[in-house]
Amino acid sequence: MMNPFNPSISTPSGIWNPLVWILVFLLSLLIAYAIYLKGEKQRKKGMQEEIFLSGNKADGNTHIKASNIGWGYLEAMKGYYKLMRDIHTGIINDYVGWFLGVLATMLLIFLFWGGAQ
Amino acid sequence: MIFNAPFISVMILVIFGLYAMVFRRNLIKVVIGLDIVESAVNLFMVSLGYVKNGIAPIYTNSPGGAMVLPTPQALTLTSIVIGVATSAMLLSFCILIYRYYGTLDTRKVRRLRE
Amino acid sequence: MSVWDFIITNAPALAIAVPLLGAFLTPLIYRAGRKTALIWVLSVLSFTEFLALLLVYLVNTYGIQVYVFGGNPSTLVIPPDSRGIPIRIIFTVDGMSAFTALISSTIGLVAGIYSVASEKGRGAQDKFFALLLLLVVGMMGMALTGDIFNFFVFLEINSLSAAALVSYRIHGGKAVEAAFKYAVVSSIGALMILFAIAILYGEYDALNMAMIAERMYQTGFSTMDIIAMALIVVTLAMKCGAVPMHYWVPDGYGEAPGEISAMIMVASQASLYGLFRMCFTVFGLSANTHSLGWFLIILGLLSMFIGVTMAFLQHDIKRLMAYHSVSQTGYMLLGVGVGLATLGTSAFNQYGLFAMEGGIFHILNNMLYKGLLFLTAGAIIYRVGTSDLNKMGGLAHSMKFTAIFYLIGALAIAGIPPFNGFVSKLMIYESVYQLNPFLAVVAAIVSMLTLASFLKVFHSAFMGPKLYNVKEVPKSMLIAMGILSFFIVLFGIFPNIAMTYLVAPAAHALADPVGYITRVLGGGP
């Protein structure tokens, strides 16, 4: 019925086998290592091994605060997040109101577009 | 029963309670609204089991005749007990909130948002 | 009758009775000292876990288990003098119930082990552990019961104990505020469910789910049934945290202690179980499952997208993870909703059942990795003392194991193979794609945003210069996190184990309401 050493799951359009995936992953690691070994033996000193962050030289102790991560994304989605901030008021009356609103919508949908088969 | 008087009053009570929960800006009044809805649901269950001229469903020393349905009454009792626990817990939360925030206004009790 | 026979015969009842009795004895036993009480609580939780495993075994071997309280024998569903009505409280355990009971008791056990160290030195621990056991009772009861009023009672036990546990750390009043909001919305929801139960009782004169479903099928779907269905479905969707009724989720999960967040997360999965049970078993035969399924799909899409985008905005670690559980619930609603929308058509066997299996597998996976992530967040807060990500940094220098566990959880939730999240997400993508490609596209985008926001947490909490001079968390917390990580890797590499013994029986049980009803009402083995 179930073979523990063959953990494959057949999906509607294919098959998923984690063991095969792990084998392929290890193999690709080996290949990557082989390519790495073929690389330049001597690194050049100087600029190449220094760390830069947004064009500025970093001292190695730089830490980006959580609120600053994904700034570009948040800036691009400004309008959406403004709407979301307005919706998430934190007032308990609104929580109950949203619940009742969805309830009323569902009732109307089921009553007029048929809940029965 | 006169028409559907109990059921109409159930609907009125539910609407009153929900109105209090959505539009009243005081935490205690929100809890009161919740309790009104709960009473409405309890009234609904009891009136579902009502039989015209029925007596309490206790067989010992019963004078005979029709009895009201016992199951909705058992459900109502359970619901009342749960309601007491809920109200007690919510009101004690209100006490704590007032102690830490100094207000019961729902528009001010929102340090958690977004 | 030997003890073993007794346990097997009464397993569904014991699964409730053991933690319930354990909960009320805990404050008494705590008088004898913390160590004794902890041994007591952990052994009660382990025995509950054993009973849940036993139920899974019994259901997989002998089919649906029916247990009648007060019946003699305990399988006597319809007594001869009851005019054909199952008057007693009946527990009906099918694959889905056993599955939910197993995940509930597992997270209870893990949270119990975790709180050995994490709650050390805090006040009122006797009540804390009593409430923790009561929360397990609520979840197990919701999963196992076959009686609709009983379901309401366990739902209330669930919400009351969860709300009390959320407020356990007052945290300057914030936790109490969260608990208040949680308790208000779950109480009004529970009252709506009670209203619906009263409607169904008035109409069908029965409280047993199978009986209600059968009579509803015989008399046709009336307007009152539509009202009851809307009340129950919307309330349970609210209780499992579906957008746009999710506002209590970040408050409640965010302010609770770490292990309690993990437990409440699973408690809302028990509500999700209730939603599926009502949609499939009670209303599945009579209602229009196509429109009901699309309702769940739309809720799922909204939850996935709004949950993950709101999560990216957060800088409180627990609130961020709480928004992610909204988004993960969306996957389950999507998967099972596709199954419900195609129920009874030829598409169900092509991909509907597979989508359901994906959704249910995702419940198990979410319990594992989301529980693990909440536990790591609790561990960080335990050592650092703040939940603000802006104030964290460099924790991987000193908390190496926590960092590794966090990484396992984060990779699993983002759906990176070979962890378990990938398998269920793959199943959901491939099957919902066939209903409507748009669904799979949204699911994939949400998965990417999930990875992005967990990388944000990883960077801001664990990477960077060493800001705090802290030690690794105590052993019991590491053990709790280790257990969940082990199962994440196990189910990632061997998904067929979970599929064969847990997920497939659950999906087949949900998809077969007729089998459920005939097993309860028709007697039989």
Side-chain angles (χ1 to χ4, degrees), chain C residues 89-379:
Chain C
I89 291 175
I90 297 171
F91 272 21
T92 315
V93 190
D94 66 358
M96 189 67 199
S97 315
F99 172 81
T100 316
L102 183 67
I103 64 168
S104 312
S105 57
T106 308
I107 201 74
L109 181 61
V110 170
I113 295 171
Y114 187 87
S115 49
V116 168
S118 73
E119 301 306 320
K120 197 172 186 179
R122 290 182 185 274
Q125 279 184 57
D126 47 346
K127 280 113 189 159
F128 176 86
F129 283 110
L131 286 167
L132 193 148
L133 285 170
L134 271 181
L135 188 53
V136 174
V137 174
M139 295 190 275
M140 300 282 281
M142 281 169 77
L144 299 182
T145 188
D147 182 287
I148 199 167
F149 185 75
N150 213 234
F151 180 81
F152 160 77
V153 173
F154 283 117
L155 184 72
E156 279 283 24
I157 293 179
N158 192 334
S159 2
L160 287 184
S161 51
L165 281 171
V166 169
S167 68
Y168 179 63
R169 291 177 190 170
I170 292 177
H171 196 226
K174 273 186 182 176
V176 186
E177 182 193 332
F180 181 85
K181 288 172 175 172
Y182 178 38
V184 167
V185 288
S186 31
S187 305
I188 187 74
L191 285 176
M192 292 299 148
I193 286 196
L194 187 60
F195 200 74
I197 290 170
I199 291 173
L200 291 175
Y201 177 76
E203 214 171 349
Y204 301 113
D205 202 15
L207 289 170
N208 187 274
M209 290 182 194
M211 193 80 194
I212 290 174
E214 199 211 9
R215 290 192 167 174
M216 194 186 290
Y217 183 64
Q218 282 166 358
T219 58
F221 203 61
S222 64
T223 312
M224 290 312 272
D225 286 334
I226 293 177
I227 296 174
M229 181 171 83
L231 288 170
I232 289 180
V233 168
V234 174
T235 302
L236 288 173
M238 186 269 282
K239 284 285 297 172
C240 72
V243 172
M245 301 167 286
H246 65 291
Y247 304 108
W248 62 270
V249 173
D251 298 355
Y253 294 8
E255 289 301 319
E259 69 276 19
I260 299 304
S261 299
M263 279 189 82
I264 303 172
M265 187 267 299
V266 177
S268 65
Q269 308 299 319
S271 301
L272 196 69
Y273 157 81
L275 179 64
F276 296 160
R277 169 67 67 213
M278 296 292 168
C279 286
F280 281 90
T281 308
V282 179
F283 299 110
L285 287 177
S286 326
N288 183 346
T289 48
H290 189 256
S291 64
L292 199 55
W294 269 101
F295 171 69
L296 293 190
I297 292 171
I298 290 168
L299 277 187
L301 282 182
L302 280 175
S303 308
M304 283 195 303
F305 190 73
I306 294 185
V308 81
T309 45
M310 284 307 290
F312 198 84
L313 194 61
Q314 305 301 320
H315 55 85
D316 182 303
I317 184 166
K318 297 284 289 297
R319 266 180 99 74
L320 188 145
M321 290 183 179
Y323 271 113
H324 274 294
S325 29
V326 174
S327 134
Q328 296 301 310
T329 308
Y331 278 98
M332 303 156 202
L333 285 170
L334 177 65
V336 181
V338 168
L340 189 61
T342 57
L343 190 66
T345 62
S346 63
F348 184 75
N349 285 327
Q350 283 169 21
Y351 57 87
L353 183 65
F354 198 72
M356 275 176 67
E357 285 179 344
I360 292 168
F361 199 1
H362 208 69
I363 296 181
L364 173 69
N365 292 340
N366 182 51
M367 182 277 274
L368 292 170
Y369 55 64
K370 211 60 217 270
L372 177 64
L373 287 171
F374 275 127
L375 294 188
T376 50

Side-chain angles (χ1 to χ4, degrees), chain B residues 3-18:
Chain B
F3 306 114
N4 286 321
F7 299 114
I8 293 168
S9 44
V10 164
M11 281 330 288
I12 292 173
L13 279 175
V14 167
I15 289 166
F16 278 5
L18 293 181

Side-chain angles (χ1 to χ4, degrees), chain B residues 8 21 29 32 43 48 54-56 58 74 77 86 90 94 102 104:
Chain B
I8 293 168
M21 290 188 75
K29 286 181 183 166
I32 291 173
L43 178 63
L48 272 181
I55 57 166
I58 303 165
L77 270 178
T86 315
L90 285 174
C94 286
L104 283 176

Side-chain angles (χ1 to χ4, degrees), chain C residues 43-104:
Chain C
S43 45
V44 167
L45 285 169
S46 315
F47 192 57
T48 315
E49 171 82 19
F50 163 73
L51 286 170
L53 278 171
L54 181 68
L55 280 176
V56 171
Y57 168 75
L58 288 176
V59 170
N60 282 349
T61 319
Y62 303 107
I64 299 176
Q65 301 285 303
V66 177
Y67 185 87
V68 183
F69 278 88
N72 186 21
S74 64
T75 48
L76 180 72
V77 173
I78 300 173
D81 55 348
S82 73
R83 295 191 203 161
I85 299 174
I87 49 170
R88 295 196 166 101
I89 291 175
I90 297 171
F91 272 21
T92 315
V93 190
D94 66 358
M96 189 67 199
S97 315
F99 172 81
T100 316
L102 183 67
I103 64 168
S104 312

